[in-house]
Amino acid sequence: MRGIITTLLLMLCTVASAQSADKLYTEGKSLYDAKKYTQAVPKLKAAAEKGHKKAQYRLGRCYDKGNGVKEDDKVAVAWYAKSAAQGYAKAQYQLGKCYKNGEGVEKDAKKAFDLFTRAARQDNADAQLALGKCYLKERGTTADKAKAKSWFVKAVKNEKDGKQIMQELRKDAADGDEDAKLILQMIK
């Protein structure tokens, strides 16, 4: 009987902890969205420390951009990694960018490719575009123009962010970006 009561108490504590992490995240995200970063960080950090994957990602963004905290790429990578390990696509994409650019970690095209792949498969448009570029430029994988084109098309047709991706490609192409011009040619 004691075992059952102990198990029930542990389950109740777990549920209460998850609810408080969700509440902390919601409050922290609202403050973050209102650009009240110094107020957002403690709430995001408390939720992140409780294992909330979106709070971990958002806290990583704070350290990545210096929003409410001193900019620190290594700390950003640590929070992105915790969130990415839980399968959060936005964190996987951001961590992939860190590996691609060598920000907070040593450059590693293969790790970037793997992270972009995981996020792209979850329908993250930015990751789909990045993955297409990996195939196009032979970064972390072998070159494959057909796969590159397929991921570019998925990115620009993405329901959530496809229009924004297309606008950015057009703007970059107009500014002389050769990669953007090539991508636009490929998806015609």
Side-chain angles (χ1 to χ4, degrees):
M1 186 62 139
R2 278 188 161 172
I4 294 172
I5 292 172
T6 303
T7 302
L8 286 172
L9 286 173
L10 284 172
M11 286 173 44
L12 242 129
C13 289
T14 302
V15 169
S17 175
Q19 287 174 341
S20 64
D22 285 340
K23 184 177 181 206
L24 286 164
Y25 169 71
T26 300
E27 292 170 359
K29 185 178 182 305
S30 292
L31 290 164
Y32 182 96
D33 291 343
K35 297 187 185 336
K36 296 179 179 179
Y37 303 120
T38 53
Q39 293 171 307
V41 168
K43 290 183 182 290
L44 292 172
K45 187 171 186 186
E49 287 172 345
K50 290 176 183 269
H52 195 285
K53 66 184 178 184
K54 290 181 180 181
Q56 291 167 339
Y57 160 76
R58 187 77 50 190
L59 189 58
R61 294 292 290 163
C62 289
Y63 280 99
D64 195 356
K65 301 296 179 190
N67 293 333
V69 292
K70 185 176 183 233
E71 187 175 324
D72 188 327
D73 290 341
K74 287 184 179 182
V75 175
V77 164
W79 285 113
Y80 287 152
K82 287 180 183 202
S83 180
Q86 294 189 67
Y88 192 52
K90 287 183 178 183
Q92 291 168 336
Y93 168 69
Q94 288 299 331
L95 186 57
K97 278 180 50 178
C98 292
Y99 277 106
K100 175 185 167 273
N101 299 323
E103 296 170 352
V105 290
E106 214 171 292
K107 271 187 179 186
D108 188 328
K110 179 70 176 125
K111 282 185 182 177
F113 173 80
D114 291 341
L115 287 157
F116 291 152
T117 300
R118 285 193 260 156
R121 288 182 178 156
Q122 292 182 66
D123 208 30
N124 181 289
D126 291 320
Q128 291 168 338
L129 181 65
L131 186 57
K133 289 178 181 179
C134 288
Y135 280 114
L136 184 65
K137 298 288 189 171
E138 199 170 355
R139 291 188 186 135
T141 188
T142 56
D144 187 326
K145 285 191 177 185
K147 285 182 181 177
K149 179 179 179 177
S150 173
W151 284 109
F152 293 147
V153 169
K154 286 178 185 178
V156 298
K157 290 188 175 185
N158 185 290
E159 277 189 37
K160 186 175 180 206
D161 295 316
K163 288 179 183 175
Q164 181 182 340
I165 296 280
M166 185 59 112
Q167 286 175 339
E168 289 173 15
L169 283 170
R170 286 182 178 139
K171 181 191 174 300
D172 291 347
D175 291 344
D177 184 315
E178 294 302 320
D179 286 345
K181 289 178 185 178
L182 179 59
I183 292 167
L184 290 173
Q185 289 266 318
M186 289 177 76
I187 61 175
K188 278 187 180 179

